Amino acid sequence: MKRNSFLGIELRHLAALEAVGRTRSFGAAARELGYTQSAVSQQIARLERSVGQRLVDRPGGPRAVDLTDAGRLLLRHADAIVAQLDAAEADMAALAEGAAGPLRVGIYQSVGARILPGLLRRFKQDWPRVEVSVLEETDAADLLRLLEHGELDLTFADLPLPEGPFEAVELLRDPYVLLVQAGSELAAGDSAPPLRDLAGMPLVTWRHIGEPETSLRGRVPDLNVVFRSDDNGTLVGLVAEGLGVAVVPQLVVNPRNPAYVALPFGNRIPPRRLAIVWHRDRYRSAASEAFVELAGDFSEPSSASAASTSRRRGR
């Protein structure tokens, strides 16, 4: 009986709950949804009867309403339901458009600079009627959220992936290197110094604290971060001017830039594992599958190059 009562939940009931929780007002929620205030109240009441719990605290008077713990919990499930509907809508559009439809791909800066140009050139030769649109973000979480909601068909991301409706294939292992100014004493070495020697050294890194900074913080005493940016060009530019060093994946390195040197860490820092990801519950077009296969082909030489040319002096 309880399961049957949940089957009576309608999307408009969940939409009303989301609007009330966000605006903290039945009246504001009603104006936003285009209903009367009484209609919103009735929808919330029906939702509460369906789940058998009070979802909204109604203090009365001028005080704002608020969701109960049960309301907030249900709303988290509602967000997932809406994401699934978004994905279903995107699936139907992809199925109707076939090989001539759009293919939306999420990327990082390093992928855009080192892998994407050749990959797109080859893909367009084989699939000339597919319109590829590319979205660049600095945070993998943003790309994966867009993928989950059906706003991307594929995205590049790092492994391991967070929990979610994702499937992926690993493309390459991208080793981390230490970028130093070409004229510095460190540039004369064949590899990066021991991690303990990075203590106190001015470091430029990304705004988001993740790898490799997490690994460095556990092993480098007195980690001295002097500048943060989400732009790879800014980081390498600061290194080239001698304002700090940077620990970056090999794909960030431009081998034709003589202003800095990339020194390999070897196995002292685990490499970045780059993958291409799709939504496991969504329809995958033949063009999408072909793009994934081609991405694997284009990534193999990049991985080999990263291993064999990790130290660069602009050659």
Side-chain angles (χ1 to χ4, degrees), residues 72-93:
R72 283 186 283 271
L73 177 61
L74 182 61
L75 193 57
R76 286 200 294 271
H77 288 286
D79 289 340
I81 293 170
V82 172
Q84 286 289 333
L85 286 174
D86 289 342
E89 182 180 9
D91 282 349
M92 299 304 293

Side-chain angles (χ1 to χ4, degrees), residues 67 71 281 314:
L67 299 186
D281 299 325

Side-chain angles (χ1 to χ4, degrees), residues 10-11 83-84 104 122 146 161 183 191 201 215 218 226 261 279:
E10 300 179 21
L11 287 176
Q84 286 289 333
R104 302 156 301 170
R122 174 63 186 279
L146 293 170
L161 297 173
S191 63
M201 196 175 294
S215 295
V226 296
V261 171
H279 195 302

Side-chain angles (χ1 to χ4, degrees), residues 108-277:
Y108 296 146
Q109 292 179 42
S110 56
V111 171
R114 300 292 302 282
I115 294 177
L116 190 68
L119 174 58
L120 282 182
R121 177 183 54 78
R122 174 63 186 279
F123 181 79
K124 293 298 289 183
Q125 291 174 358
D126 297 339
W127 298 82
R129 297 180 60 209
V130 174
E131 181 182 350
V132 180
S133 59
V134 178
L135 176 66
E136 181 182 289
E137 294 284 355
T138 57
D139 190 345
D142 292 334
L143 293 171
L144 292 171
R145 178 181 56 79
L146 293 170
L147 180 68
E148 183 174 2
H149 283 262
E151 296 178 47
L152 289 175
D153 302 300
L154 300 166
T155 187
F156 290 85
D158 292 350
L159 297 176
L161 297 173
E163 184 177 348
F166 308 123
E167 288 187 359
V169 59
E170 184 173 336
L171 300 176
L172 63 89
R173 298 201 171 192
D174 190 13
Y176 285 98
V177 297
L178 180 69
L179 282 191
V180 301
Q181 186 188 40
S184 71
E185 293 182 2
L186 288 173
D190 292 326
S191 63
L195 291 178
R196 63 179 177 273
D197 291 353
L198 299 182
M201 196 175 294
L203 179 71
V204 294
T205 188
W206 288 287
R207 201 175 298 167
H208 172 71
I209 298 179
E211 293 298 343
E213 186 174 339
T214 301
S215 295
L216 294 177
R217 285 192 177 277
R219 301 162 68 186
V220 178
D222 188 26
L223 194 66
N224 181 24
V225 176
V226 296
F227 193 86
R228 293 184 182 274
S229 174
D230 285 331
D231 184 79
N232 290 345
T234 299
L235 295 184
V236 299
L238 291 168
V239 171
E241 293 297 329
L243 298 175
V245 299
V247 180
V248 298
Q250 177 70 42
L251 279 180
V252 171
V253 178
N254 178 359
R256 292 182 292 274
N257 191 332
Y260 54 77
V261 171
L263 303 172
F265 281 101
N267 59 5
R268 286 173 286 168
I269 299 179
R272 175 174 71 156
R273 298 167 58 204
L274 186 66
I276 191 164
V277 190

Side-chain angles (χ1 to χ4, degrees), residues 1-10 13-14 47-53 55 74 77 81:
M1 290 297 293
K2 189 171 184 179
R3 180 174 178 83
N4 289 339
S5 69
F6 267 69
L7 293 177
I9 295 175
E10 300 179 21
H13 299 159
L14 298 176
L47 185 57
E48 290 177 325
R49 286 196 297 272
S50 294
V51 302
Q53 295 195 52
L55 303 175
L74 182 61
H77 288 286
I81 293 170

